[in-house]
Amino acid sequence: MTPETPPPPTPRPHTSHWGTFSAAPLPGGGLEVIPDPGDPDPSPLLRNIPAALGPRGRVLAPHVRRGWLERGPGPDPKRGTDTYVRVSWDEAISLLVQEFDRVRAAHGNRAVFGGSYGWGSAGRFHHAQSQIHRFLNCFGGYTRSVNTYSLGASRTLLRHVVGDDSPISAPTTLSVLAEHTGLFLCFGGMPAKNFQVNAGGLSRHRTAGQLAAARARGARFILVSPVRDDLAAELDAEWLAIVPGTDTALMLALSHVLIEEGRYDADFCRSHCAGFDTFARHVLGQDGSAPKTPRWAEEICGIPAARIAELARELTRHRTMISLSWSLQRAHRGEQPLWAGIALACLLGQIGLPGGGFGHGYGATAGIGAGTLPYRLPTLDQGLNPVPDFIPCARIADLLLHPGETFDYDGGRYTYPDIRLVHWAGGNPFHHHQDLARLRRAFGRPDTVVVHEPHWTATARHADVVLPVTTTLERNDIGGASQDAALIAMHRVADPVGEARDDFRALSDLADGLGIGHDFSRGRDERGWLEHLYESWRAKLDPRYAPEEDFGTFWRAGRIPLRGLREHHTLYAGFRADPDARPLATPSGRIELASATIASFRYDDCPGHPAWLPPDPDPDPGPDAEHPHRYPFHLVANNPATRLHSQLDHGELSASSKVAGREPVRLHPRDAATLGLRDGDVARIRSAVGSCLAGVVISDSVRPGVVQLATGAWWDPSAPEVATCVHGNPNAVTHDIGTSRLTQGCTGQLTRVALERHDGPLPPVHAHG
């Protein structure tokens, strides 16, 4: 008798930053991923998910770098090039207990840096950043980072200009824009590729549909960007192909027309703004600077003066939304376009009206404008950090390379501590950070680097101790986002690959060895923590919103609806109605077109009002600085369309976009002809700090003089004689400088580069090996 074939596994519910799905292992290997049938626009990024479980590139067991194991802790330039020794979990934990104790005893807790980033999983318990911060706080604290690479300039500036980050966390919702906005002026666009992702996930992708509804109603879209597909083609936008990094000049010229011709809302500027006179004097050139006329701006940004003047007048004839992308502030002097865009919206006087005003980040993620829940979701408590030291997150290389030196940030002067131990869980700084060769030198300086990773990323390859951790598919969790009306039971889909353990278990073992085990785990296992987080959250909720389902019911159901999502909201409606009763949290209680606080800092790279500050074209000019055209192209390094940051770069969708096995670089046909490049060629892109190889794609969707190369290709410096990255990571060529002394944000969006065809032998790509 032939034994019966076992039934296929039942798909289990799960979620990710790019959407809700169910999944089950296939009998012959691989993974079946089924998008949520209720999602109107499921993300194609789900196609990358099966690669998470494949053996390619997985860290299958704990590993220790040979040099560290044989010679002990200490600075070592061989990090990134050394070999590794496989060890048991017990050996790895024992080595780490000794090292954590040594560093704390000899140097104190401020010598420990806790690095992490929040995109590792949509789960709220197995959130690597929360896990490692909780552990390090139980250990006695650590030097931390503040802000993010995405919004390093914005959050700090917004606190001065509007009092908080409401334009990011609670913007006017897309449903209101779809109904009321007549004209969308989109600086940096609203890229449809970014509608796919959201921190914590999203069960319904509706951004594209809501923008399409606005267009069908008759709304007009104007795109200000060097890249045409920063707005979807179906929105039929007018494309103003601006010179990269010059948006502030255009905004000031638009403001000049409104003020000069008396078309601005003087009543709103008087009643709801502070510093209008200072701003107006600067725009009109009454402070000794040049008047910010359309003719002045044309020479800078490349938009004809007549179109600038007419556009300013057109803005006043509609309910206008000034949309400011996050990308604008990820550049040198990145504070200025955000501040100038807010000032332009103030002149129009529509802030607080449905469909008018300004927004910051529409199109950055699927959650921006989707609505917000009036309560928090289940979250792991990170505890309190007694160590006061911090850095802005994009200053990690400075921290490691320059202990004891001072840096400016938001009016204060701080000192970089002497970091001896780096503990990183979740995130890939060798994706996010600029000038990766410099970051490699920085990672060679600490005594010890510990990294938790599922895959052999460049970050893992620069560690002394690599702990193999599970992907989200290999553990149970609770998923949800504050912009979504569903809480998801994330059932484990597959067994851990190799010897991988989740971060919680790895840190629990380390905590036990350090004598802080109970403080960290509270005696709970994974299931105990999930039930605790859910039930304690449910018990504290307002009865109007509290789910009726207990944890067991929720877990069996796979998801429950969340009540109270505010999908119809207008930013600053209450402030507009009564600015005295509903003031902003600024010194004046108003929107600060000029800030006395920022002016008091006396920063030459961030004055007390919006201003055109030309970005430094080459912060590290090198020996050929006398040649002004050495780097004739503007490189735009934006987010990829085929993955989230660097996650699952070896997945099916991401791999399908590669050209000659490398990340694609787009350039205009005119530039390609001048350089003798054709589709499918491999080009070498170089700047003063490094170079990379990328596959050529010729497209008239980029402005002449611009090359576009997405971030996220895993850094591969395996053939340094050819390029500092043979796989196409743009941060091989970007400069490691802050936006300004005010915010010290990331500047990786724009860089000046040169481009040439690579005619020699093509080195193989080892990034995913």
Side-chain angles (χ1 to χ4, degrees):
M1 179 180 293
T2 303
E4 293 184 6
T5 302
T10 302
R12 296 176 180 177
H14 212 77
T15 194
S16 66
H17 293 305
W18 40 95
T20 304
F21 62 95
S22 56
L26 294 170
L31 185 74
E32 180 184 25
V33 175
I34 305 167
D36 187 330
D39 190 341
D41 188 20
S43 171
L45 294 181
L46 296 173
R47 289 166 51 191
N48 285 331
I49 287 178
L53 295 178
R56 186 182 182 197
R58 282 298 295 258
V59 183
L60 299 176
H63 283 75
V64 179
R65 188 174 63 83
R66 185 175 298 277
W68 189 91
L69 187 64
E70 294 176 351
R71 296 186 296 274
D76 193 341
K78 289 194 68 177
R79 286 195 185 102
T81 61
D82 206 351
T83 57
Y84 284 85
V85 177
R86 181 170 179 160
V87 299
S88 69
W89 269 100
D90 286 345
E91 290 175 286
I93 294 299
S94 177
L95 289 168
L96 289 178
V97 167
Q98 294 176 49
E99 181 60 357
F100 272 78
D101 276 338
R102 182 192 73 83
V103 170
R104 179 169 57 181
H107 305 286
N109 282 77
R110 69 192 301 261
V112 177
F113 179 76
S116 187
Y117 219 61
W119 287 102
S121 168
R124 298 301 86 199
F125 174 62
H126 291 295
H127 180 238
Q129 189 178 75
S130 296
Q131 289 285 347
I132 189 173
H133 290 176
R134 178 181 176 85
F135 164 76
L136 290 173
N137 285 333
C138 291
F139 180 65
Y142 62 101
T143 293
R144 71 193 193 281
S145 64
V146 298
N147 301 328
T148 64
Y149 283 91
S150 297
L151 289 161
S154 294
R155 292 191 188 277
T156 302
L157 179 72
L158 287 171
R159 288 197 296 270
H160 291 288
V161 178
V162 294
D164 58 22
D165 67 357
S166 293
I168 300 168
S169 60
T172 298
T173 52
L174 290 163
S175 60
V176 173
L177 302 187
E179 184 177 353
H180 295 283
T181 302
L183 176 62
F184 291 83
L185 180 58
C186 305
F187 290 95
M190 302 179 190
K193 60 185 174 58
N194 296 346
F195 301 166
Q196 304 174 65
V197 303
N198 191 58
L202 206 70
S203 61
R204 303 288 181 268
H205 291 84
R206 296 185 294 177
T207 304
Q210 288 167 317
L211 293 179
R215 181 70 186 95
R217 183 180 47 77
R220 288 192 59 234
F221 289 81
I222 299 174
L223 169 64
V224 181
S225 172
V227 180
R228 180 166 55 193
D229 44 19
D230 275 342
L231 268 181
E234 54 266 29
L235 298 179
D236 193 26
E238 176 188 357
W239 180 30
L240 300 181
I242 195 169
V243 173
T246 64
D247 302 79
T248 301
L250 175 58
M251 295 169 182
L252 295 178
L254 293 170
S255 299
H256 186 281
V257 175
L258 296 178
I259 296 171
E260 181 74 13
E261 298 184 0
R263 296 175 183 270
Y264 73 99
D265 190 328
D267 290 339
F268 184 86
C269 289
R270 181 179 60 255
S271 59
H272 290 74
C273 304
F276 169 77
D277 291 341
T278 299
F279 175 68
R281 284 196 301 272
H282 179 70
V283 168
L284 298 175
Q286 296 171 351
D287 61 352
S289 64
K292 312 307 180 292
T293 65
R295 182 66 62 190
W296 166 87
E298 179 181 1
E299 296 298 317
I300 297 170
C301 68
I303 308 299
R307 182 66 190 104
I308 295 174
E310 178 52 36
L311 176 58
R313 299 165 192 142
E314 189 177 350
L315 297 177
T316 66
R317 297 195 289 265
H318 301 274
R319 182 62 58 83
T320 298
M321 170 54 61
I322 306 295
S323 176
L324 308 166
S325 77
W326 290 359
S327 63
L328 299 176
Q329 51 86 61
R330 284 197 299 269
H332 207 204
R333 321 299 196 218
E335 300 83 7
Q336 302 310 312
L338 175 55
W339 203 351
I342 294 172
L344 177 60
C346 288
L347 297 183
L348 296 175
Q350 298 180 16
I351 291 174
L353 295 178
F358 73 94
H360 185 39
Y362 292 120
T365 73
I368 299 293
T372 54
L373 293 167
Y375 48 85
R376 298 185 65 184
L377 295 178
T379 304
L380 181 66
D381 181 19
Q382 297 184 14
L384 298 175
N385 184 0
V387 174
D389 297 87
F390 72 93
I391 60 164
C393 74
R395 303 271 53 82
I396 176 64
D398 288 348
L399 167 72
L400 299 179
L401 289 170
H402 302 299
E405 293 190 10
T406 60
F407 66 95
D408 292 306
Y409 171 72
D410 198 16
R413 176 157 289 187
Y414 304 91
T415 301
Y416 292 122
D418 186 0
I419 299 299
R420 300 305 182 101
L421 190 156
V422 173
H423 192 181
W424 213 289
N428 181 7
F430 281 87
H431 152 67
H432 283 292
H433 200 68
Q434 285 65 67
D435 192 350
L436 294 179
R438 183 173 188 259
L439 184 64
R440 165 177 273 190
R441 294 194 299 273
F443 263 63
R445 194 198 164 277
D447 292 349
T448 299
V449 177
V450 185
V451 169
H452 300 209
E453 254 295 343
H455 297 96
W456 281 106
T457 63
T459 301
R461 297 177 195 221
H462 286 78
D464 299 307
V465 180
V466 185
L467 300 180
V469 293
T470 53
T471 67
T472 176
L473 298 169
E474 301 156 62
R475 59 200 185 214
N476 297 305
D477 213 331
I478 298 171
S482 60
Q483 306 89 10
D484 195 30
L487 193 70
I488 309 299
M490 300 170 62
H491 288 226
R492 193 175 84 171
V493 174
D495 292 334
V497 174
E499 297 179 26
R501 298 179 179 179
D502 58 63
D503 294 296
F504 170 69
R505 183 180 171 191
L507 292 170
S508 293
D509 291 344
L510 182 54
D512 286 342
L514 292 167
I516 54 172
H518 182 74
D519 291 340
F520 175 73
S521 69
R522 296 294 178 183
R524 302 186 185 102
D525 59 9
E526 177 191 74
R527 174 79 180 201
W529 267 109
L530 295 180
E531 184 165 359
H532 168 75
L533 292 178
Y534 179 88
E535 293 295 355
S536 59
W537 163 75
R538 188 168 72 111
K540 294 175 183 176
L541 278 182
D542 184 309
R544 292 176 296 169
Y545 307 124
E548 298 175 359
E549 297 89 347
D550 63 14
F551 178 78
T553 304
F554 158 67
W555 196 254
R556 289 189 296 273
R559 67 189 293 166
I560 58 171
L562 296 175
R563 303 170 187 166
L565 186 69
R566 295 170 178 169
E567 299 181 78
H568 299 279
H569 166 73
T570 297
L571 179 66
Y572 298 132
F575 167 67
R576 180 186 183 89
D578 193 337
D580 293 319
R582 302 281 297 277
L584 303 181
T586 58
S588 64
R590 304 298 192 256
I591 300 173
E592 304 229 340
L593 300 183
S595 167
T597 301
I598 294 177
S600 72
F601 300 156
R602 300 186 180 277
Y603 294 148
D604 58 0
D605 54 3
C606 189
H609 57 77
W612 165 243
L613 303 175
D616 189 333
D618 191 356
D620 303 299
D624 296 328
E626 67 273 15
H627 301 297
H629 302 298
R630 188 180 181 211
Y631 304 112
F633 291 96
H634 295 270
L635 172 68
V636 175
N638 54 3
N639 287 330
T642 59
R643 60 185 169 268
L644 168 58
H645 295 315
S646 65
Q647 285 192 39
L648 300 176
D649 183 37
H650 58 305
E652 177 196 344
L653 183 64
S654 180
S656 71
S657 71
K658 306 288 184 179
V659 175
R662 284 148 239 277
E663 194 65 18
V665 58
R666 295 196 299 170
L667 70 160
H668 192 271
R670 189 179 75 191
D671 295 326
T674 300
L675 296 169
L677 291 170
R678 298 176 297 178
D679 277 317
D681 283 347
V682 171
R684 183 172 182 259
I685 304 168
R686 56 182 174 81
S687 73
V689 302
S691 61
C692 66
L693 301 183
V696 172
V697 174
I698 300 172
S699 172
D700 62 3
S701 290
V702 294
R703 188 186 195 277
V706 170
V707 295
Q708 179 264 317
L709 177 65
T711 60
W714 288 8
W715 188 48
D716 185 349
S718 59
E721 69 282 358
V722 176
T724 50
C725 179
V726 300
H727 191 205
N729 187 316
N731 280 326
V733 303
T734 53
H735 297 276
D736 190 7
I737 56 173
T739 48
S740 77
R741 289 187 288 162
L742 178 73
T743 69
Q744 297 285 3
C746 163
T747 59
Q749 186 79 15
L750 302 176
T751 305
R752 296 301 296 265
V753 299
L755 198 71
E756 63 219 5
R757 187 172 59 212
H758 178 75
D759 290 322
L762 270 180
V765 174
H766 296 295
H768 303 132

